[in-house]
Amino acid sequence: MVDGPERDDETPTGETPAVEPYAPPPSPVSYEPYPPQPHASDPFAPEPEPYPAADPYPASDPYAASDPYAASDPYAASDPYAASDPYAASEYPREAYSAESGHNSDHDSDHDDGYPVEPTASAPVDPYAASAPVDPYAPDPYAASDPYAASDPYAPPAPDPYAASAPDPYAASGPDPYAASDPYAASDPYAASDPYVPPASADEPAEVMVGHADPVTDEPVTADIVPITPEAVATPEPAYEAEGEPEPYVAPEPYAASEPYVAPEPYVASDPHVASEPHVEPEPYVEPEPYVAPEPYVASEAYAPPVPDSDPEPVAAVTPFASAEPAAEQSTVESESQLEFEQAWLGVGFDTVERAAATPRERQPYVALGLQPDEYDRIQQVLGRRPTESELAMYAIMWSEHCSYKSSKVHLRQFAEKAPPSDRMLAGIGENAGVIRITDRLAVTFKVESHNHPSFVEPYQGAATGVGGIVRDILAMGARPVAVMDPLRFGAADHEDTKRVLPGVVAGIGGYGNCLGLPNIGGEIVFDECYQGNPLVNALCLGVLPVGRLQNKAAAGPGNLVVLIGAKTGRDGIGGVSVLASATFGDQSEQRRPSVQVGDPFMEKLLIEACLELYDSELVVGIQDLGGAGLTCALSETAAAAGTGMSVNLDLVPLREASMQPQEVLASESQERMLLIVTPENLPVVLSICARWGVLATAIGEVTAPEDDGGRLRIWWHNSVVVDVPPGSLADDGPVYARPMRAPLDVELMLVDRAETLPRPETGDELRATVLRMIASPNLCDKTWVTEQYDRYVLGNTVLAQPEDAGVIRIDERSGLGVALSVDGNGRYARLDPYHGAKLALAEAYRNVATTGATPVAVTDCLNFGSPEDPDVMWQFAEAVRGLADGCQELGIPVTGGNVSFYNQTGATPINPTPVVGVLGVLTDVAARVPIGFSSPGDEIFLLGETREELSGSEWAHVTHAHLGGRPPKVDLPAEQRLAGVMADGARLLSAAHDLSDGGLAQALVEACLRRGLGATVALPEDLSPFLYLFSESAGRVLVSVRPGERDALIALAAERDVPCAHIGTVGAPGTPVVVEGQFELPLDELRAAHTGTLPALFG
Amino acid sequence: MSTVIGVVTFPGSLDDRDAVRAARLSGATAVRLWHADNDLHGVDAVILPGGFSYGDYLRCGAIARFAPVMESIADAARGGMPVLGVCNGFQILCEAHLLPGALTRNQHLHFRNRDQQLRVSSTGSAWTNAFAAGQELLIPVKNGEGRYVADARTLDELEAEDRVVARYVGVNPNGSMRDIAAIRNEAGNVVGIMPHPEHAVEELTGPSVDGLGFFTSVLKHLAGAPSLQPAATA
Amino acid sequence: MARVVVDVMLKPEILDPAGQAVANALPRLGITRVSSVRIGKRIEIEFAGEPDLDQAHRIADKLLANLVIEDFTVRVEETAPAATP
């Protein structure tokens, strides 16, 4: 596995070329504009090779001394927490490091500020570098240990220390271990000049001259005489001490060189003691034949097929300009002849602009790609000709629902129109993710996205790539991802297919998120039959960034380079684009199978670190992640955002499969890729940083200035232009539909079918049984089986995670600044009334965040609906968006970004409209956060908010009666705001707080008790029946506990804010039961068994 | 000059920052070491942190063990330098044969993250001398491949020589043989532990602060407290 | 074209919960005669030129298998030329 230095085996016999100084391999820094980058991310390099390409500290790295990032701390520059590091100030002053610039600008290597020192700027001794002129007579310390030295008969040998005259090209270089027993010593033509005298016996050590003749006196210089013993030669000592340098060469066993040296037959140097055995006359020495390279294959004649009777089919002649019939055996690797072929036969192989202009009436499968006839006409108008296949693919992708939001744009405008003024929002809708400033120097970014359909097909990879996609969106804003959450919705819990989908989805989210090192701090698991054929996998990611590091996606600056980094591009997710079957060599349709997207979290982890280092070094002009729609989306959006054009050479995109067509390369959804815009001066450093992290980076094009009326995106493939479009037409000018809407015919019917009229439990025993049944039901049961598969601790800043109301992440260790996040949705409420259902989802997320003591500041949403071509669904969507926009306006917090997922339906049946809303809040001191679990016996329990008779759409109606009907609970956003104010101001008074939502008070009470294992005694107020108090799902309510001394303060605070506040009970001792006075008693063990047993029983 | 603890970062290491934080909280100075740099920069002790080095490709730790820094660490460990391998670090130490046995897939086949009760069964190591024999700790465990396996002879040897440093108490989270959560080498300077003490060092973010003891132990050890010969058995 | 295939299996005495899970799932497919399933890894190595079994053996020994818990076998396998159908 370890090779010696390369030798030139073309040395003509008898000549001694100068010993070439060993040139270290080129440093990973390349100064060529489009260098072919080796895939340096190969983790399978078992032996530490000398100066591997991915080695960040090669001795020859010109940046080693001057590069402030050469410090071996990979995180020093990109650490957003560094400025807030509470331990920094105690060691050394940190003025040299500022969080904004992220530069270790004055990195003084004497400073031990907790980061490793830089490697010494002076290159350590390079045993292979001929730094000093090589002394031709000095003994080569490696000669004996070089396995190839003796085996290569053409090696320019290290000068033979035993030869006084011209070195013998055939002599083993270095001390000849067999010289002592060499039966040919007498017949050796160099023997006369060879001062070596064979010893009388093998035991007697021979004295030889190691050294050289004095050039003046021609006397041997005896200073270097070293007695040679077989043992000394057998174990050559390394000539240098490796100091701070990876041992570049591991000498194999001595005399390993002896095995391959067989060229001069029949001398076999295997046993040094052979001479002591009875002498056997060996065969005479035969000079080996000089090496003659085989004749290069010249295909001057057509290949003559073999005799016909043995070969049924004659092989076609391989001549460059043969007929257009596909050659079945033609390799798809682009060889010279193939290139010529394709150029000569424009149109055969791939569609170019030139050809498109020449063949305007060629029919194209635009319908199969999802384009309408009027859209196809519009494309022709924009381009002035028919689109090429690649252009058609790009338009089909960019104008699809998924990318253009054509059905939803008209409604989503409300988020901008009704947006409450916010001075915190640094980036909003339209960007990769919304960015909210939380201090002068720090900002957070968060967004939720869906990956529903792929997760039904392949649960693990669908969910994993969903997490990967949202993480890259956060990364593209310049943030370090710090947490993830996942609202998940599946079909019936006991359905067979759920057993297939749920474990796969959970394992995929865990597998990907855990490997990236992102704590999973919350989410939802909801079961409902409507999701049976269409599970919902939404993923949220939170990131943190210094305000100065905010990135954008504009490809600004004509002349700047377009760099693609990350994984190679394959056929992932091409889907419909593969219907574009161009005529090519041979029928390769099988090779063109689109493949399921497979995520590689390790590659994404490297990508994150590389990108953050690039941001901190301010090397990035623009950045865009490649998600759905891959390169198409990235190239067009970045160019359109800046109003510039782009020239891209698609041949430079590193491909996983050589047979890909240009439209496939453009449509590929291969994961873990980002697109950077960098200035040409910065390209070498960008490439070296990527190489250090093992991330493939390739410059594939450049930004061009706008022409006439805008920029042009031009893409080349095999020296032909295959795409020449205005990027704005792809990214911004997609179709906008105002789809017909109609309230579903059953809306009125459902609204009057109220759950308040259903039979309800009356007696204490019935209530007791209902509580047990409810807490064990799939939607309300303990979700530890799932959440245990996620890492919540990594990064060490998770203050609260599931099952708490909101996930709380500490942002600043010194000040305790943190953020709280919650994602909530309720498909049943939205089915009954989309407008209010969306508002209720917003209210729930808002309340969850406020319950921890945080102040809500921003909203994100993921709108999961059925087919927009269904007027019922479109009405639901419009209503939900209107409700959400109105709600945000009332609450005064803006929607910063989100996602729409349409076509979630099974056959003709859409899912319940499921707007999922995420709310982010700020906690000035995470130590003040309020958890959900009762913690101290004797604490007073209060119920804040008003309870009404509201059972429609409730979990009780669903579990007990499988009923869905009536009006969802009333939503009163001003009341929610007042309640949030109490929670924020009262955070330090409260010992526990848990908001009420699904399952009502019973659920909240049981969860609060089971969390820390304390019981409680509760006396329900008299104004409503105990049943209603326990199971009604009125909004705007929180269950809190206070230390006895604080109760008056709480009552006063609630009164001041006009929030109803009722004292309902007292926290009990550990292990005591939950008592509802006058009704029932439930021991904690029984509660725990019911609550925690459901999921393990279902999923194992 | 305070004790300097080096924390190694491999491609894919995740809990290195937390190990650095824990080392600092215990009073040491923490230094980040890069996997490709075989210079240990004069640290007094080394931590191999948790994570998914090299994506856990092939086997956890199988590739990381060939990193240049590992050779230096192996040499230093032979010379008595305290080395703590946490989770993935434990896997790397076993792959590098600095500790016996191997870590395999959790018996129930899932990644599992829970707050786990441990009992310190040996205080005779550089990393556990600050605990009392038999002390119970609450430390998060989070792994998918944490099941410790070794042949019976090795297990008997470990137990006979008091080289099992900690065991799971209550429910064994991954099926480790003999409930082994942590072991040490013969000299006691190298310890591998599956749970994550670095996540139990702050009240705010961890289930307890019991993890600090691991880090204060090494400070004690380096300050000269005799700790490497097993004194009391659990 | 030939390549070397390395098969890595857990040693017989090592518990294989993944294999057990598969074996437990087989009755659900109506298969009852399977008594044991064990899962390993198959690694395909292609050399530039002729396959070198010795080197492959060294690769397997040093990296591909953890000899504490795994065994491996090495063999040469003929492959059909990478076909374009």
Side-chain angles (χ1 to χ4, degrees):
Chain A
M1 279 195 276
V2 180
D3 292 339
E6 285 186 279
R7 303 290 186 144
D8 178 8
D9 60 357
E10 295 294 312
T11 311
T13 310
E15 281 174 23
T16 310
V19 177
E20 271 178 51
Y22 176 74
S27 106
V29 175
S30 165
Y31 294 89
E32 294 158 8
Y34 306 115
Q37 286 296 313
H39 186 54
S41 73
D42 180 1
F44 296 103
E47 294 288 342
E49 292 174 23
Y51 312 116
D55 183 347
Y57 305 105
S60 55
D61 183 358
Y63 287 91
S66 60
D67 185 349
Y69 305 99
S72 51
D73 180 354
Y75 295 101
S78 63
D79 188 344
Y81 304 13
S84 60
D85 187 335
Y87 301 95
S90 63
E91 291 285 308
Y92 295 94
R94 282 284 218 147
E95 67 271 8
Y97 184 100
S98 67
E100 281 90 341
S101 68
H103 281 287
N104 260 333
S105 45
D106 300 323
H107 190 92
D108 181 346
S109 59
D110 290 334
H111 256 161
D112 183 9
D113 57 358
Y115 292 101
V117 296
E118 293 173 359
T120 50
S122 60
V125 173
D126 177 354
Y128 294 113
S131 45
V134 172
D135 183 341
Y137 297 100
D140 182 348
Y142 288 97
S145 53
D146 184 336
Y148 296 90
S151 64
D152 188 340
Y154 305 103
D160 185 354
Y162 302 103
S165 62
D168 174 5
Y170 295 105
S173 50
D176 185 345
Y178 304 111
S181 54
D182 187 349
Y184 298 108
S187 58
D188 189 327
Y190 291 96
S193 55
D194 189 337
Y196 180 73
V197 176
S201 78
D203 297 325
E204 189 185 334
E207 259 187 354
V208 297
M209 256 194 304
V210 178
H212 54 276
D214 188 298
V216 172
T217 63
D218 217 353
E219 297 279 296
V221 173
T222 57
D224 306 332
I225 291 183
V226 173
I228 299 241
T229 62
E231 296 77 53
V233 183
T235 55
E237 290 176 81
Y240 76 109
E241 288 300 324
E243 196 122 301
E245 195 54 40
E247 182 71 32
Y249 187 85
V250 177
E253 284 74 43
Y255 304 142
S258 66
E259 291 144 31
Y261 188 64
V262 293
E265 290 282 340
Y267 172 62
V268 178
S270 55
D271 186 356
H273 292 283
V274 74
S276 60
E277 281 159 19
H279 180 74
V280 175
E281 186 66 46
E283 278 138 57
Y285 175 80
V286 174
E287 213 168 86
E289 303 257 310
Y291 174 76
V292 175
E295 302 247 320
Y297 174 71
V298 176
S300 53
E301 296 157 8
Y303 171 74
V307 177
D309 52 359
S310 64
D311 190 6
E313 275 178 318
V315 178
V318 181
T319 48
F321 295 91
S323 73
E325 268 149 23
E329 298 300 327
Q330 183 76 336
S331 158
T332 56
V333 174
E334 276 75 52
S335 62
E336 295 293 339
S337 59
Q338 173 145 349
L339 206 57
E340 280 174 39
F341 194 130
E342 286 182 324
Q343 282 189 309
W345 287 85
L346 294 173
V348 178
F350 55 93
D351 196 9
T352 65
V353 168
E354 200 178 316
R355 185 162 171 272
T359 57
R361 272 186 286 280
E362 184 164 300
R363 291 168 59 113
Q364 296 186 288
Y366 61 83
V367 174
L369 287 172
L371 286 170
Q372 302 297 318
D374 60 311
E375 288 165 354
Y376 185 68
D377 290 337
R378 222 172 98 213
I379 296 172
Q380 294 198 320
Q381 277 177 345
V382 168
L383 299 178
R385 52 169 169 80
R386 76 157 175 86
T388 64
E389 282 174 353
S390 305
E391 289 167 339
L392 189 64
M394 291 179 82
Y395 277 104
I397 290 167
M398 290 303 289
W399 288 8
S400 72
E401 185 65 55
H402 173 64
C403 293
S404 69
Y405 279 47
K406 52 190 174 185
S407 305
S408 47
K409 251 188 207 169
V410 291
H411 302 285
L412 296 178
R413 281 189 197 132
Q414 293 174 76
F415 290 143
E417 289 162 10
K418 297 179 185 172
S422 168
D423 53 353
R424 289 180 185 266
M425 198 154 67
L426 300 178
I429 299 174
E431 299 292 329
N432 283 309
V435 179
I436 298 288
R437 176 198 292 267
I438 55 172
T439 70
D440 288 338
R441 289 175 310 134
L442 286 178
V444 294
T445 171
F446 73 127
K447 189 174 167 201
V448 61
E449 263 196 352
S450 64
H451 219 232
N452 302 333
H453 302 99
S455 300
F456 181 69
V457 172
E458 171 31 55
Y460 184 101
Q461 290 299 339
T465 50
V467 173
I470 186 64
V471 167
R472 284 196 305 278
D473 275 330
I474 297 301
L475 182 64
M477 300 310 293
R480 172 180 281 282
V482 298
V484 291
M485 301 175 84
D486 52 322
L488 307 173
R489 283 166 171 78
F490 304 99
D494 48 4
H495 194 284
E496 267 308 305
D497 203 46
T498 308
K499 290 201 201 331
R500 171 186 76 90
V501 174
L502 184 145
V505 165
V506 170
I509 292 172
Y512 205 97
N514 296 343
C515 190
L516 284 183
L518 296 179
N520 189 309
I521 59 172
E524 300 179 287
I525 311 264
V526 176
F527 299 95
D528 192 296
E529 295 82 22
C530 73
Y531 306 115
Q532 192 64 60
N534 207 128
L536 299 186
V537 174
N538 300 155
L540 177 144
C541 182
L542 170 74
V544 180
L545 67 157
V547 168
R549 204 170 76 188
L550 180 61
Q551 303 293 326
N552 69 85
K553 63 179 169 183
N560 284 342
L561 298 171
V562 178
V563 180
L564 180 66
I565 68 173
K568 289 189 184 174
T569 300
R571 289 213 163 83
D572 312 58
I574 298 181
V577 170
S578 59
V579 78
L580 288 171
S582 320
T584 57
F585 290 69
D587 177 27
Q588 293 156 17
S589 55
E590 284 189 18
Q591 277 197 327
R592 300 235 220 93
R593 268 193 309 275
S595 43
V596 171
Q597 300 169 29
V598 171
D600 180 353
F602 178 57
M603 169 57 76
E604 182 125 326
K605 171 73 174 158
L606 300 177
L607 197 65
I608 291 173
E609 300 305 331
C611 285
L612 291 175
E613 192 172 332
L614 291 172
Y615 299 151
D616 284 323
S617 318
E618 294 179 358
L619 294 169
V620 172
V621 171
I623 181 161
Q624 170 74 308
D625 77 301
L626 274 72
L631 258 182
T632 300
C633 182
L635 293 173
S636 47
E637 283 197 4
T638 49
T644 52
M646 233 180 235
S647 270
V648 173
N649 182 354
L650 220 54
D651 291 328
L652 297 173
V653 173
L655 297 178
R656 277 214 301 268
E657 294 169 64
S659 63
M660 287 178 73
Q661 294 291 300
Q663 63 271 16
E664 293 177 327
V665 177
L666 288 168
S668 165
E669 294 189 355
S670 292
Q671 300 289 298
E672 290 99 28
R673 298 178 297 165
M674 306 282 277
L675 194 79
L676 308 174
I677 312 294
V678 303
T679 61
E681 311 81 68
N682 285 335
L683 181 70
V685 182
V686 168
L687 295 176
S688 81
I689 291 176
C690 290
R692 179 187 320 154
W693 284 103
V695 173
L696 192 57
T698 320
I700 62 169
E702 67 171 0
V703 178
T704 56
E707 310 159 7
D708 301 334
D709 49 348
R712 301 292 294 192
L713 172 61
R714 284 197 190 88
I715 302 181
W716 272 263
W717 176 258
H718 296 353
N719 295 327
S720 303
V721 181
V722 290
V723 172
D724 183 358
V725 300
S729 70
L730 283 170
D732 302 326
D733 298 342
V736 175
Y737 294 165
R739 291 209 191 256
M741 312 183 281
R742 178 194 63 210
L745 296 173
D746 60 354
V747 158
E748 286 304 321
L749 288 173
M750 288 187 79
L751 285 176
V752 300
D753 180 16
R754 300 172 60 237
E756 287 74 11
T757 57
L758 294 167
R760 41 178 88 166
E762 304 275 326
T763 68
D765 285 340
E766 285 171 1
L767 287 172
R768 185 185 198 280
T770 306
V771 169
L772 284 172
R773 192 179 335 118
M774 292 281 287
I775 64 172
S777 68
N779 282 335
L780 298 179
C781 70
D782 176 82
K783 306 295 192 307
T784 302
W785 185 93
V786 167
T787 59
E788 259 192 344
Q789 298 186 46
Y790 306 144
D791 183 347
R792 69 177 57 198
Y793 284 111
V794 64
L795 297 183
N797 283 316
T798 307
V799 176
L800 289 180
Q802 62 275 14
E804 302 285 335
D805 284 330
V808 174
I809 294 284
R810 176 177 58 185
I811 303 286
D812 185 332
E813 269 186 59
R814 191 162 37 196
S815 69
L817 179 70
V819 292
L821 270 170
S822 178
V823 271
D824 294 282
N826 191 313
R828 287 201 304 270
Y829 291 165
R831 174 76 175 89
L832 296 175
D833 181 343
Y835 179 85
H836 288 103
K839 270 193 176 176
L840 283 165
L842 172 64
E844 190 184 339
Y846 182 89
R847 193 183 331 121
N848 272 321
V849 165
T851 302
T852 58
T855 304
V857 297
V859 175
T860 183
D861 61 83
C862 186
L863 305 172
N864 305 281
F865 286 76
S867 165
E869 296 160 35
D870 179 348
D872 294 355
V873 171
M874 213 54 222
W875 177 83
Q876 291 172 335
F877 180 80
E879 286 291 285
V881 170
R882 190 170 66 91
L884 189 55
D886 287 347
C888 289
Q889 194 176 42
E890 275 186 69
L891 288 173
I893 51 177
V895 172
T896 60
N899 178 256
V900 173
S901 172
F902 273 132
Y903 296 100
N904 293 295
Q905 45 192 69
T906 315
T909 314
I911 57 168
N912 287 345
T914 313
V916 168
V917 180
V919 170
L920 178 138
V922 178
L923 264 168
T924 43
D925 186 359
V926 289
R929 91 276 180 234
V930 189
I932 64 166
F934 295 144
S935 50
S936 188
D939 280 357
E940 308 279 357
I941 303 177
F942 284 81
L943 178 62
L944 301 175
E946 189 191 333
T947 306
R948 296 171 284 272
E949 185 186 7
E950 291 175 311
L951 297 166
S952 294
S954 70
E955 202 61 45
W956 170 80
H958 178 70
V959 169
T960 309
H961 297 287
H963 178 272
L964 180 60
R967 280 195 187 280
K970 179 174 133 195
V971 58
D972 182 352
L973 293 179
E976 302 274 3
Q977 277 178 307
R978 295 195 300 272
L979 178 61
V982 169
M983 300 307 302
D985 292 344
R988 290 189 191 274
L989 298 174
L990 302 171
S991 50
H994 192 12
D995 100 303
L996 274 64
S997 55
D998 295 349
L1001 177 60
Q1003 180 72 13
L1005 187 60
V1006 168
E1007 286 178 348
C1009 289
L1010 285 179
R1011 187 83 176 105
R1012 307 278 291 264
L1014 272 62
T1017 303
V1018 162
L1020 297 169
E1022 310 268 286
D1023 54 325
L1024 291 176
S1025 71
F1027 165 76
L1028 280 175
Y1029 259 109
L1030 287 173
F1031 299 108
S1032 169
E1033 289 189 6
S1034 300
R1037 297 181 297 161
V1038 178
L1039 181 72
V1040 303
S1041 73
V1042 285
R1043 288 171 288 283
E1046 309 280 14
R1047 61 172 293 176
D1048 293 331
L1050 174 66
I1051 295 173
L1053 181 59
E1056 187 190 330
R1057 297 295 178 108
D1058 193 19
V1059 171
C1061 175
H1063 175 255
I1064 62 170
T1066 318
V1067 176
T1072 56
V1074 175
V1075 176
V1076 176
E1077 282 182 356
Q1079 303 298 331
F1080 57 80
E1081 236 183 65
L1082 275 166
L1084 286 184
D1085 289 342
E1086 200 177 338
L1087 286 170
R1088 192 172 293 115
H1091 192 51
T1092 58
T1094 311
L1095 287 189
L1098 284 170
F1099 300 107
Chain B
M1 176 77 169
S2 66
T3 313
V4 181
I5 299 183
V7 178
V8 180
T9 299
F10 299 94
S13 288
L14 302 176
D15 299 307
D16 44 355
R17 298 163 152 268
D18 305 309
V20 164
R21 182 189 292 118
R24 282 187 182 152
L25 284 174
S26 68
T29 305
V31 164
R32 308 275 293 271
L33 300 174
W34 186 236
H35 68 102
D37 179 8
N38 70 347
D39 185 350
L40 293 183
H41 297 281
V43 300
D44 303 312
V46 170
I47 298 178
L48 299 177
F52 288 71
S53 62
Y54 295 98
D56 277 359
Y57 292 148
L58 187 65
R59 292 184 308 279
C60 302
I63 298 168
R65 69 160 280 217
F66 290 110
V69 75
M70 282 308 297
E71 296 175 31
S72 316
I73 289 174
D75 288 338
R78 275 189 278 277
M81 177 185 282
V83 178
L84 178 70
V86 177
C87 195
N88 192 219
F90 189 3
Q91 291 159 342
I92 296 171
L93 288 174
C94 287
E95 288 279 341
H97 304 304
L98 288 169
L99 287 174
L103 283 315
T104 61
R105 187 104 186 262
N106 287 354
Q107 196 160 346
H108 46 72
L109 301 177
H110 293 302
F111 185 97
R112 181 161 284 174
N113 171 201
R114 56 167 68 157
D115 300 336
Q116 177 69 38
Q117 286 289 127
L118 300 179
R119 181 178 298 123
V120 176
S121 39
S122 168
T123 56
S125 83
W127 298 90
T128 54
N129 60 70
F131 295 116
Q135 184 174 344
E136 289 205 6
L137 316 172
L138 184 62
I139 308 269
V141 65
K142 47 169 200 172
N143 52 67
E145 325 254 334
R147 183 172 157 256
Y148 183 75
V149 301
D151 57 32
R153 193 181 57 77
T154 307
L155 291 172
D156 292 336
E157 191 181 296
L158 287 174
E159 292 188 325
E161 295 173 13
D162 190 40
R163 285 169 57 192
V164 176
V165 165
R167 283 187 219 261
Y168 298 117
V169 168
V171 178
N172 184 325
N174 46 40
S176 282
M177 291 182 164
R178 310 207 187 165
D179 299 332
I180 289 175
I183 59 172
R184 67 169 175 90
N185 66 349
E186 282 184 37
N189 61 318
V190 177
V191 168
I193 177 168
M194 215 51 211
H196 289 256
E198 75 277 13
H199 287 312
V201 295
E202 282 183 291
E203 289 288 357
L204 195 57
T205 56
S208 72
V209 292
D210 296 340
L212 271 176
F214 287 87
F215 305 94
T216 53
S217 290
V218 80
L219 298 182
K220 264 178 68 179
H221 166 79
L222 289 165
S227 65
L228 295 192
Q229 291 316 306
T233 51
Chain C
M1 260 270 289
R3 63 176 173 220
V4 177
V5 172
V6 179
D7 291 313
V8 177
M9 290 293 298
L10 285 172
K11 291 188 154 124
E13 63 269 22
I14 303 290
L15 173 70
D16 179 9
Q20 266 183 5
V22 170
N24 293 342
L26 292 179
R28 270 189 261 149
L29 300 173
I31 297 163
T32 49
R33 287 180 51 238
V34 169
S35 57
S36 154
V37 174
R38 288 182 74 76
I39 299 180
K41 290 177 212 150
R42 171 190 157 106
I43 296 135
E44 298 174 352
I45 304 176
E46 305 209 355
F47 286 87
E50 279 307 300
D52 185 339
L53 268 181
D54 283 332
Q55 203 165 69
H57 205 274
R58 280 205 296 277
I59 296 172
D61 192 84
K62 200 155 183 210
L63 179 65
L64 301 180
N66 179 349
L67 299 178
V68 175
I69 49 170
E70 291 169 330
D71 292 326
F72 67 89
T73 58
V74 181
R75 61 194 159 87
V76 176
E77 190 178 80
E78 284 300 321
T79 58
T84 62

